[in-house]
């Protein structure tokens, strides 16, 4: 299995992040987003077998797309490089996949999950955006804008990642549902960033996510028509636990 870690100037956080990744993970793909603090060198020092992908574009969505394309594992887990996602939880995502899920998303709102980093505005924004997605696409997601996700590599083409910002998680969640994948949620606890400052801007990125949701809603018929029939054998994301 492969773990994708998008990173930009996260050299100080990588020692902690890499220490939480289980030893049985066979491949770590670090996507370096034009760092100036030696992030790739630190990654190599911590884990000599790490695969470093030097991002050609910019933004988290673009980084994930490049990282997913570089992975060789049958299972791919996506975590953040700031220390907010705990690598010890990877086993939950893998267990859900091998138990029948096609796409697994972490939820800070399920029992056993939580967050030490959600501000009131981010919590409210996530709730509103999640409600909109659940109403428009018939899903029952309990979380929407969270970067901890896992997928069988064979399903990656169905996600057709074509965005470059923090809206990438929303795009993946919506397209997994439109493709008819079995989507499961697992509890996850979000830790605060260890070092550095986040590039996330709640209001700016919240409106960007909203525009993305409406774009996906307008284009849903075209997307569904382009999905191969074999990909629709799974239940729609209503398999995700919890309620809006």
């Amino acid at each position: 299995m492969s773990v994708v870690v998008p990173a930009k100037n996260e050299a100080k956080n990588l020692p902690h992040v890499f220490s939480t990744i289980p030893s049985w993970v066979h491949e770590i793909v670090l996507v370096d987003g034009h760092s100036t603090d030696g992030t790739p060198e630190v990654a190599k020092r911590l884990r000599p077998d790490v695969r470093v992908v030097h991002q050609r574009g910019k933004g988290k969505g673009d980084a994930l797309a490049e990282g997913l394309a570089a992975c060789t594992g049958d299972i791919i887990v996506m975590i953040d490089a700031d220390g907010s996602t705990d690598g010890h939880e990877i086993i939950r995502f893998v267990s859900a996949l091998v138990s029948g899920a096609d796409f697994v998303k972490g939820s800070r709102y399920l029992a056993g999950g939580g967050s030490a980093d959600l501000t009131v505005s981010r919590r409210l924004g996530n709730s509103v955006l999640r409600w909109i997605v659940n109403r428009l696409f018939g899903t029952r997601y309990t979380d929407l804008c969270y970067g901890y996700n896992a997928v069988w590599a064979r399903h990656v083409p169905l996600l057709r990642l074509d965005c470059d910002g923090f809206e990438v998680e929303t795009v993946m969640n919506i397209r997994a549902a439109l493709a008819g994948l079995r989507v499961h949620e697992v509890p996850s606890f979000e830790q605060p960033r260890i070092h550095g400052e986040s590039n996330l801007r709640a209001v700016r990125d919240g409106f960007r996510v909203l525009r993305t949701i409406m774009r996906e809603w307008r284009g849903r018929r075209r997307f569904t028509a382009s999905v191969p029939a074999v990909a629709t054998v799974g239940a729609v994301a209503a398999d995700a636990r919890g309620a809006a």
Side-chain angles (χ1 to χ4, degrees):
M1 63 163 290
S2 303
V3 172
V4 176
V5 188
K8 180 178 181 180
N9 295 327
E10 301 287 5
K12 291 183 178 180
N13 294 321
L14 289 186
H16 169 78
V17 173
F18 279 22
S19 72
T20 68
I21 298 176
S23 58
W24 42 264
V25 170
H26 94 277
E27 178 182 62
I28 299 177
V29 176
L30 183 131
V31 185
D32 178 56
H34 314 286
S35 296
T36 58
D37 68 345
T39 290
E41 291 75 18
V42 171
K44 283 286 188 181
R45 187 165 65 248
L46 293 169
R47 179 110 179 201
D49 61 341
V50 69
R51 294 187 62 195
V52 176
V53 175
H54 295 282
Q55 185 179 359
R56 291 166 292 183
K58 63 179 181 178
K60 184 179 182 181
D62 179 81
L64 276 179
E66 292 196 33
L68 292 172
C71 289
T72 62
D74 294 325
I75 288 175
I76 304 174
V77 180
M78 293 154 267
I79 67 174
D80 290 332
D82 59 3
S84 62
T85 49
D86 185 358
H88 293 112
E89 294 179 355
I90 287 176
I91 187 63
R92 298 179 184 176
F93 293 78
V94 175
S95 297
L97 287 172
V98 300
S99 296
D102 298 316
F103 181 85
V104 181
K105 55 192 298 296
S107 173
R108 296 162 290 185
Y109 297 94
L110 290 177
S115 176
D117 195 44
L118 272 177
T119 62
V120 173
S121 59
R122 286 181 59 206
R123 190 181 297 273
L124 176 62
N126 188 49
S127 297
V128 171
L129 294 169
R130 181 192 65 208
W131 181 85
I132 293 172
V133 166
N134 286 339
R135 288 296 300 268
L136 292 180
F137 297 95
T139 53
R140 290 188 292 161
Y141 293 146
T142 65
D143 205 344
L144 185 69
C145 307
Y146 189 42
Y148 213 155
N149 299 284
V151 65
W152 286 101
R154 62 179 179 271
H155 296 313
V156 169
L158 299 178
L159 303 179
R160 296 190 305 117
L161 298 186
D162 55 3
C163 58
D164 59 10
F166 286 101
E167 71 274 15
V168 62
E169 287 94 8
T170 299
V171 168
M172 286 193 290
N173 293 335
I174 291 175
R175 292 183 179 177
L178 290 175
L181 299 183
R182 291 188 179 91
V183 180
H184 288 246
E185 290 185 321
V186 296
S188 178
F189 191 90
E190 179 186 35
Q191 300 289 347
R193 164 181 280 276
I194 301 174
H195 298 287
E197 187 174 314
S198 174
N199 292 316
L200 178 67
R201 298 293 179 266
V203 175
R204 178 200 66 188
D205 292 310
F207 277 109
R208 186 165 180 167
V209 170
L210 180 59
R211 289 194 298 270
T212 297
I213 292 170
M214 301 318 297
R215 182 194 68 198
E216 296 297 309
W217 172 247
R218 291 191 296 268
R220 69 195 184 282
R221 292 185 179 85
R222 183 180 72 255
F223 178 92
T224 304
S226 69
V227 173
V230 68
T232 63
V233 297
V236 180
D239 281 340
R241 290 178 293 173

